[in-house]
């Protein structure tokens, strides 16, 4: 339904919404940095002519995109992998790359679909810090769909619990922890 309302996935991002997927959907044959640059193509202030002529505006736009990509590689702890093919990264690093790619679009809301799935406890703890930083340091709302209850309880302000698509509880972590239906 939201695709019809917004008119397509690329337009959803123009409304300030980005997402990651439960199953990783990186451009597997591209490098890590290329994955972040391609995410920004809608935000570049260029056209085909400026690209062919390699205008100052085109160069400035490319430099701005590259700086943003490097910033998110640093934040997500992936800078040393910038020139590696994304499919060569560990599973945990691929998850972080998906988050970095989404954040390169400057979303107001980011939807993370089971970002801790398949991560070990150390990776999950690191992910928790990253998500908290995204909320606090970058003023981005995070909508988290997750089954890792420890992660949810540690970072959430408000939790909705669903049972087969029906909301059975809503509240802060303490309220959810003490809810008999949950």
């Amino acid at each position: 339904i939201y695709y019809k309302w917004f008119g397509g996935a690329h337009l959803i991002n123009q409304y300030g919404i980005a997402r990651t997927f439960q199953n990783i959907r990186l451009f597997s044959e591209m490098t890590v940095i290329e994955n972040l640059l391609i995410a920004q193509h809608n935000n570049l202030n260029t056209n085909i002519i400026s690209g062919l002529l390699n205008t100052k505006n085109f160069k400035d736009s490319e430099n701005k995109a590259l700086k943003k990509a490097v910033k998110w590689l640093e934040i997500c702890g992936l800078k040393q992998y910038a020139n590696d093919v994304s499919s060569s990264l560990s599973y945990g690093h691929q998850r972080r790359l998906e988050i970095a790619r989404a954040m390169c679009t400057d979303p107001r809301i980011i939807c993370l679909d089971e970002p801790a799935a398949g991560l070990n406890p150390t990776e999950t703890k690191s992910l928790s810090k990253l998500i908290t930083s995204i909320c606090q340091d970058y003023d981005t709302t995070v909508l988290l769909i997750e089954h890792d209850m420890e992660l949810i309880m540690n970072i959430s302000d408000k939790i909705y619990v669903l049972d087969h698509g029906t909301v059975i509880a809503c509240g802060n972590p303490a309220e959810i922890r003490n809810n008999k239906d949950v």
Side-chain angles (χ1 to χ4, degrees), residues 159-171 176 179-182:
I159 301 169
Y160 289 85
V161 180
L162 303 174
D163 182 17
H164 294 89
T166 301
V167 176
I168 62 169
C170 173
I176 296 300
N179 186 308
K180 64 178 178 60
D181 294 331
V182 176

Side-chain angles (χ1 to χ4, degrees), residues 24 78 89-97 115 118-119 123 127:
I24 293 173
L78 299 171
L89 296 180
S90 70
Y91 187 76
H93 286 133
Q94 287 183 26
R95 287 269 185 208
R96 286 177 161 273
L97 178 55
L119 300 184
E123 291 170 324
L127 175 68

Side-chain angles (χ1 to χ4, degrees), residues 2 23 30 39 42-43 47 61 95 98 103 114 116 121 128 130 146-147 152 156 167 170 181:
Y2 67 88
N23 298 316
M30 291 182 158
N42 277 344
N43 298 334
N47 59 46
S61 191
R95 287 269 185 208
E98 276 205 320
M103 291 305 297
E114 298 200 38
S128 174
L130 176 60
E146 184 58 65
H147 289 96
I152 293 289
S156 299
V167 176
C170 173
D181 294 331

Side-chain angles (χ1 to χ4, degrees), residues 116-135:
L119 300 184
N120 66 41
T122 302
E123 291 170 324
T124 300
K125 186 174 183 177
S126 178
L127 175 68
S128 174
K129 290 178 183 175
L130 176 60
I131 294 170
T132 300
S133 172
I134 287 170
C135 291

